[in-house]
Amino acid sequence: MGTFIFFILFLVITFQSSIIKVNCANFQATEFCGTGPDIHYPFQIKGQQTQYEALPGFELLCKDNITTIHFPSYGDLVVKSISYDTKKIDLLDPRNCSQGVFMNLDLSHTPFKFYYFLKNFSYLNCSTNLSPRFIEVPCLSGSTYHVYTVDPALYVPSSCEIVKTVAIPFEYSPYVSDNSLGLRLTWDLPESEDNKTLAQTRDSHKARYIVIGSSICLFLMATIISRKIHGSTRNCHHKEGQLLQSMGDF
C-alpha cells in the first residue's frame, strides 16, 4: 500500500515538473509581426498580450507588418533580426542614412548600447567641397552644404563648422553602403529584473499545479481507501454468510 502511494506521488511530482517546464518555455512565447523576426522576452509588441510584463525600452511597434522600435532622439528604426542568446538586435534605417542615425541616436536613456567598438568622430558642415581625401556623406548633404565625418584631431577648414562630435562605430565610407551596417545594438538587462519576472511566472504556475497535484493525490487515496473499505465489508458479509450456512447445517 505504502509503495503504491509513493509511486503515485512520484508520478504526480513528475507531471507537475514537466508542466512547469512547459509553462516556463511558454513564458518565452513568440510573437510575430509580418515577416519580421520572432519576438519574445524581453521584447514585446505594443498592443499584444503576453504572459510577462512589458519592460521599459523593449516595446516594439508593428506598422504595416513591419517590426520597428522607436527612439525619441531619432524616430523609428526597422528591426532586421534579434539574437536572444548573444543579446544582439540588428536595425535598418528607413531613411537609408545610418550616419544620420549615428549622429542623432541617443542611447543614454535606453537599455541599449552599440554592439561595436566606438570612436569619436566630428561631423563637419561645409559650404564648399573639401579635398578628395575627405569623403562627403551624401544622405546628410544638400545642394548648398556638404557634410563630412572626420577625426576630431584634424584641422577644421575655415569653410566648415563642427556640427557635433560623437562616439560612433565608424566614419562614412562609400564602400560601406549597407544602411544596416553598424546599427547593431546590444542590451544589458539587470539580472535581478530578468529573474524577477521569470520567478513570478514560475511561482504562479508552481502554486497552481501543486494544488492540482494534491487534489489528484487525495482523490487517488480516497479511491484506494474506499475500495479497501468496500472489500473489507464484502469479506465480512461473505464470512457472515458462511457462518449462517454452517449453523444451518446443524
Side-chain angles (χ1 to χ4, degrees), residues 120-124 130 134 148-156 171:
N120 282 336
F121 285 97
S122 293
Y123 284 86
L124 299 183
L130 300 183
F134 293 97
Y148 303 85
T149 52
V150 300
D151 189 311
L154 292 178
Y155 167 76
V156 180
E171 62 184 324

Side-chain angles (χ1 to χ4, degrees), residues 173-222:
S173 169
Y175 303 107
V176 183
S177 58
D178 184 357
N179 72 321
S180 69
L181 193 59
L183 290 180
R184 172 174 289 181
L185 307 180
T186 184
W187 64 88
D188 186 17
L189 188 66
E191 186 176 352
S192 59
E193 186 70 28
D194 201 350
N195 291 337
K196 180 178 71 174
T197 308
L198 284 167
Q200 289 174 348
T201 302
R202 189 163 45 241
D203 290 345
S204 65
H205 289 308
K206 185 176 180 180
R208 181 171 58 182
Y209 290 110
I210 284 177
V211 172
I212 295 174
S214 300
S215 300
I216 293 173
C217 239
L218 290 173
F219 174 77
L220 291 173
M221 291 179 68

